[in-house]
Each structure stands twice: as structure tokens, then as C-alpha cells.
Amino acid sequence: MRIILLGPPGSGKGTQAQLLLQRYGIVQLSTGEMLRAAVAAGTPVGLKAKEIMASGGLVPDDVVVGIISDRIDQPDARNGFILDGFPRTVPQAEALDELLKHKHLKLDAVIELRVNESALLNRVETRVAQMRERGEEVRLDDTPEVLTKRLASYRNQTEPLIHYYSERRKLSTIDGMMAIDEVTRAIHRLLLALGAVEPKTHGKTRSAAKADPAKKGKTAKESAKKPAKTAKKAAKSKKVAKKAVKGATKAAKKTVKKAVKKAGKKKAAKKTARKAVKKGAKKAAKKVTKRRAKR
Ligand code: AMP
């Protein structure tokens, strides 16, 4: 599976990418992370990017395209990847199309996380506070001033990608203002609908739901439905059985009636026969008496 997460800084691309890669066993390719690593390592790319990144600008297209192309060729990306923070400009998107075509790879989806701009500053402030709490180094570009600049470059250079991918029927938009797990679920549903993931990844979630008391309600409801269904079935089969007995009784009654009728007929016939015999005998006796009197 190969997907792009699109959204302004603070929209949750990084958080969602982390959750999705755990679930699907793919890698997250974040150009921001790679560039920060290059800056920290003091590589030529890092030296080029350092100032630009600190001011909230965009690193030249050819630099990031080169980084991504090399990264896609790594063995761990063979299973699939989530592009986070790339492409950021239309020329980068065009370069990616070419690159994937050349590598015979297909893009499954471009997911836009739509958020209210007013919420972004708050989100980034929360991220900074959490990083400080964990004792992590805070990003140099996570300040209100630089964020304003990063937002401006998103609006001017990255937002046109929404049109670019929607024209190519690749774009799906998800409400990025929902709770983190709700966004993850929405992305999963979308990937299922697109056929980018197998329904069995759902199974993983289901078994996880067993251990999750918040999700147990649904499981309990589901299992409560089962006995009710069985009882319904049993009741139905009882009805069927009763009907069958009734039917059998009816049939038996009919047979008995027929037999009785038949027997009755036989009795009557016997009676008639007996009467006839009696009559015949009387007639014969009378004839004999008449003949004797004549003599
Ligand atoms: P991010 O971690 O995605 O917010 O990126 C941090 C900074 O890295 C950005 O503000 C840019 O200066 C630079 N950067 C990351 N990805 C790109 C990209 N695809 N194109 C140009 N610059 C980038």
C-alpha cells in the first residue's frame, strides 16, 4: 500500500502515519524527518536545508525528490509506505508520478486531513509542550512566527495539490478535527473501501477490541444477539414441530374416519345380505307351504 498524507503543519499527518505504519507494517517516509536527520548529521543536504527549514521556507524540489527516490528503493519500503510531508509542490507531485511510473509502483490514495487553521497554532503549542515534557529536543521551526510562514507556504504551494490529485481521482478528504483514533478509523475505512487493505486487518482490530473495555460494549451486544437468535430459531422449530403433529393427527383422524366409514359400509352390507338371505328363505318357505296345501 502506498499513500500520501496531505495537510497543513499540525494537521496530524505525523501522528496518523505512526499509527498506520504500526497497523499495516509499512514505513513512514517523512521528508521533514529525513531533512532534520541530515541537518543533525551535517551532510551536504543538511547544510543546504538548515537555514531554509529554520525560516519556514521550502527546501528545493530536486533535493527532496532525490531523497525520496533513494528512500523508496530501500528494502523496508517494498511492503508499502506513507508519504508524510511529500510532495509539497506541484513539481514535486509530477516528479513523484514519474518516479513511481519508472519504478512500476502504484499510488493507492492521497488522503487530505482537513483542519481549521485557527486550531493549528494550539496544536503545535501542545506538541511543543509534550516534547518538552518528554525531554525531547524541540523543533526550531515550531514557534508561532515560523508556523505562520509554514502555513503561508502550505496555502500557496501545497494546497494546489488538492486540485492536482482530485483531478486524477486520487484524493479523499477526512475531517482532521476529529479525535486521533476517530481519524485513524476513518482512514482505515477509506483504505478498506478503496481495496488498499485486506479486511483481515480489521480482524486485528476486532481482537484488540476484546481487550478494550470501551469497545467491549459492542462485542457484548453482538454476543447478546446470538442467544436471542437461537431462541427465535428454537421457537420457530417448535412451532413447525407442533404444526407437524397437528398435521399428523389430522391425517390420522382422516384415516380412522375412512376406516370407520369403510367398516360401517361393510356392516351395513352384511346386514342387507343377512336380511336378503332371511327374506329369500321366508319366500322359499312360503312357496313350499303353498305347494303342500295344493296336494
Ligand atoms: P515537516 O516536518 O514536514 O513539517 O517539515 C519541516 C520542514 O522541512 C519544512 O518546513 C520544510 O522546510 C522542509 N521540508 C519538508 N518536506 C519538504 C518538502 N517536501 N519540500 C520542501 N521542503 C520540505
Side-chain angles (χ1 to χ4, degrees), residues 31-32 35-36 53 57-59 64 85-86 88 92 139 141 150:
T31 38
L35 289 168
R36 276 188 286 279
M53 288 174 76
L58 289 187
V59 174
V64 280
F86 180 89
R88 248 179 164 99
Q92 286 182 20
R139 285 168 52 167
D141 57 354
R150 284 161 65 202

Side-chain angles (χ1 to χ4, degrees), residues 10-62:
S11 58
K13 299 187 302 287
T15 308
Q16 289 305 324
Q18 279 295 323
L19 295 167
L20 295 169
L21 62 94
Q22 278 168 24
R23 189 172 197 166
Y24 306 125
I26 52 178
V27 289
Q28 172 193 15
L29 308 185
S30 155
T31 38
E33 291 283 322
M34 290 180 224
L35 289 168
R36 276 188 286 279
V39 170
T43 64
V45 167
L47 292 174
K48 237 188 199 175
K50 196 175 176 183
E51 290 303 311
I52 305 170
M53 288 174 76
S55 67
L58 289 187
V59 174
D61 290 339
D62 59 323

